[in-house]
Amino acid sequence: MIDPTSYEYVPYAAANTSSCYLGRGMSGSAVTALQKDLISCYGYKPATDGVYGELTESAVVAVQKRVGVKADGDYGSSTRVGELQFADRDPHQLHLTSGRSPHGAG
């Protein structure tokens, strides 16, 4: 099981992550954490500027397609759960683009 408090897998881990929602036009540290996740876990290259713009939305859509959830570009609980389930099924698939394993070994 993946530690759900690690932002490597869950970009914004707060006491109540079930209400976490990020979408286009939003900004702040949660968006920056999501952008870092998209880079480190999936190899996408949005800016880490804390602004949920077109490149961040596009990367989220690609991740949503990869993990098998509705690809609407919004990051919320269904995307987060999809990522965790995807990683549980095949943890080595998270880093297809970057060539790294999700555990940092390789």
Side-chain angles (χ1 to χ4, degrees):
M1 177 71 177
I2 293 172
D3 177 5
T5 62
S6 166
Y7 91 35
E8 186 170 348
Y9 300 102
V10 181
Y12 185 63
N16 182 10
T17 57
S18 63
S19 65
C20 179
Y21 166 85
L22 300 171
R24 193 164 187 174
M26 296 178 79
S27 62
S29 61
V31 175
T32 301
L34 172 62
Q35 292 167 331
K36 289 178 180 180
D37 177 64
L38 292 167
I39 293 167
S40 68
C41 290
Y42 299 99
Y44 296 106
K45 306 279 191 237
T48 54
D49 58 4
V51 177
Y52 201 117
E54 183 178 350
L55 291 177
T56 301
E57 182 180 58
S58 176
V60 169
V61 166
V63 167
Q64 290 170 327
K65 288 178 181 179
R66 183 184 285 181
V67 303
V69 298
K70 181 180 176 185
D72 59 7
D74 296 328
Y75 188 89
S77 60
S78 65
T79 302
R80 189 170 41 260
V81 168
E83 285 182 292
L84 293 171
Q85 290 174 342
F86 182 79
D88 279 346
R89 285 191 308 268
D90 194 351
H92 298 288
Q93 292 299 309
L94 279 180
H95 296 284
L96 286 175
T97 306
S98 66
R100 291 179 21 210
S101 77
H103 304 291

